[in-house]
Amino acid sequence: MKAIRFNRYGSPDVLSLEDVDLPAVGDDDVLVRVKAAAVSPLDVRTMTGTPYFMRLLCGLPRPKPIGLGGEMAGCVEAVGGNVTRFRPGDEVYGGRGMAPTARSAAFAEYASLPQDGMVAKKPANLSFEQAAAMPVSGLSALQALRDKGRIMPGHRVLVNGAGGGVGTFAVQLAKAYGAEVTGVCGTHNVDMVRSIGADHVVDYTRDDITGTGRRYDLMIDMAGNHLLPVIRRLLAPNGVLVAVGGPLKGMWIRPLLGPLKLLVLSPLIGQRLAPMMTKASGDDLDVLRRHAEAGKIAPVIDRTYALSAVPDAIRYLDKGHARGKVVITVS
C-alpha cells in the first residue's frame, strides 16, 4: 500500500510517499481502507519532534518507523477474530489519538485500529471527507465543553479561535447545548463563524474582546493569545477557562508551564482554570455522530489535498490561517 513515512525529524521535506506492507490486524482490530484523512497540529509536532518532549512518544534520537495522520474515515476491509462491533463493509471514522504507530496512521491507504479504541460508525449524512475532519477536533470541542466546561443551557460561552478546526466544532456544539456563543476570529472567518451559529462574532484584528464589557460563564481558548489576568477579567466570578492547545512557546519545559500554572492557581480562586487533554473515545464519536445526523454540527473544510501532497497540506496548516479543517483525499 501507499503511505506517508519519515525517518528523521524536520520540515515537511522529510516526508515521502512510500510502498509499505499492509498493517497487521490483531484479533481485536479492524482493518480500514482509508478514504479520507485530516491534518492536525499534532501532525506538525510529531513530524518536527517539537517541543522536545514529543520525542519521548515518537522516538529518540530519531523517530521510530511511524507514519502521520490521526483522523480518518473509510470502510472496514477485514476484522479480527474477536471483533463484534464492526464487520467488513461498514463505513467508519476515527483515528489513533495520541498513539504514534505506523499501523494506525491515517495518511495511508489502510490503517488498523482496535475495535474498542477511537473508531465508530460514520455519520450517514456526511461524506468521507467531512467525517475524517471530525474525530480529534470534534472530540476536543465536545470534551472541553461537556466534561471540562460543564456547559449548561443559557451559559454565555466565548470561543477564542472560533475559525479553526476545534473552534468551528466548539461553536456548533455550544449552540447545540443551548448556550449563547461569542466567537473570536480573524476578518476572513467572521462570516463563516456567524454562519455556523455564533450569536456574536468579534474580529480580533479590529476589536478588543476585553473592551466589550461582557463576562462569560465559559471560555474555550484555542488561541492562547491573552495573559491570564486578562482572561480572568473576561470570566464571570465563577466562570471556567478551558485551555485547548494554543501556541507552544519554547522547546523544552516552557510549554508545560502554562497548564501547570492553571492547575496550581485554579484551587486558589473562584474561577476554574482547566487545561485540556483530549481522550480517545469511541463512545464520544457516537455522540458526535448523533449530533451530525441531527443536523446540529457539520465540519468546515478549508482545502483538500491528495495523499501525495501531504507535505503541502501540512505547510498550509502550519501557517495558522486554515479555516476549519484541512483534509486529505486518499482513495
Side-chain angles (χ1 to χ4, degrees):
M1 70 171 187
K2 298 288 187 182
I4 293 292
R5 293 289 186 264
F6 68 112
N7 297 305
R8 58 190 175 90
Y9 296 113
S11 72
D13 295 332
V14 305
L15 305 179
S16 61
L17 185 63
E18 301 178 7
D19 288 306
V20 301
D21 294 335
L22 284 174
V25 183
D27 287 340
D28 298 305
D29 296 338
V30 295
L31 180 67
V32 178
R33 182 176 180 86
V34 181
K35 297 291 188 179
V39 185
S40 77
L42 181 60
D43 296 315
V44 179
R45 296 168 191 169
T46 302
M47 177 188 71
T48 60
T50 57
Y52 290 133
F53 61 73
M54 286 295 301
R55 303 189 185 198
L56 298 176
L57 295 173
C58 303
L60 288 170
R62 300 169 67 87
K64 299 172 184 177
I66 59 174
L68 285 179
E71 302 176 272
M72 71 178 78
C75 295
V76 175
E77 187 84 2
V79 299
N82 296 335
V83 173
T84 58
R85 295 180 57 207
F86 304 99
R87 60 185 179 182
D90 284 347
E91 295 183 350
V92 298
Y93 80 126
R96 68 186 188 185
M98 291 289 291
T101 64
R103 74 187 190 101
S104 61
F107 300 156
E109 292 179 322
Y110 291 89
S112 180
L113 302 170
Q115 70 161 337
D116 294 327
M118 195 169 125
V119 60
K121 296 289 183 66
K122 180 182 79 68
N125 61 329
L126 298 186
S127 68
F128 286 109
E129 288 77 11
Q130 289 174 308
M134 283 181 53
V136 173
S137 296
L139 288 184
S140 297
L142 175 67
Q143 293 170 8
L145 290 162
R146 183 195 63 193
D147 303 337
K148 293 288 187 176
R150 302 171 191 170
I151 189 171
M152 297 290 289
H155 270 179
R156 294 159 296 173
V157 176
L158 177 67
V159 179
N160 190 28
V166 177
T168 49
F169 285 110
V171 169
Q172 296 175 80
L173 285 167
K175 288 300 298 179
Y177 279 109
E180 177 186 327
V181 181
T182 298
V184 182
C185 59
T187 304
H188 68 296
N189 283 329
V190 167
D191 290 341
M192 181 272 290
V193 171
R194 186 175 288 113
S195 73
I196 61 175
D199 299 286
H200 314 282
V201 183
V202 177
D203 180 348
Y204 72 82
T205 69
R206 298 180 178 180
D207 301 304
D208 180 7
I209 185 64
T210 63
T212 64
R214 295 193 184 103
R215 302 191 79 177
Y216 300 91
D217 302 295
L218 172 59
M219 177 177 179
I220 308 296
D221 186 17
M222 277 69 63
N225 58 343
H226 292 297
L227 296 175
L228 192 54
V230 174
I231 290 175
R232 292 194 59 202
R233 289 198 296 272
L234 288 169
L235 292 176
N238 60 345
V240 181
L241 164 70
V242 182
V244 184
L248 295 178
K249 299 178 181 178
M251 295 295 183
W252 297 93
I253 301 299
R254 189 178 176 190
L256 301 175
L257 296 181
L260 181 61
K261 183 177 180 180
L262 297 183
L263 290 172
V264 170
L265 183 59
S266 185
L268 306 178
I269 61 176
Q271 297 156 326
R272 188 156 53 85
L273 313 174
M276 173 77 187
M277 177 66 75
T278 305
K279 298 177 181 178
S281 170
D283 289 340
D284 279 352
L285 287 179
D286 281 330
V287 173
L288 292 176
R289 175 181 55 79
R290 291 193 291 271
H291 280 305
E293 291 178 344
K296 295 180 179 179
I297 61 173
V300 175
I301 297 177
D302 186 335
R303 298 186 182 186
T304 59
Y305 292 80
L307 181 60
S308 59
V310 164
D312 293 331
I314 290 179
R315 287 188 189 95
Y316 177 66
L317 180 78
D318 198 31
K319 291 178 181 177
H321 301 297
R323 175 182 298 180
K325 298 290 291 185
V326 176
V327 170
I328 307 299
T329 300
V330 179
S331 63

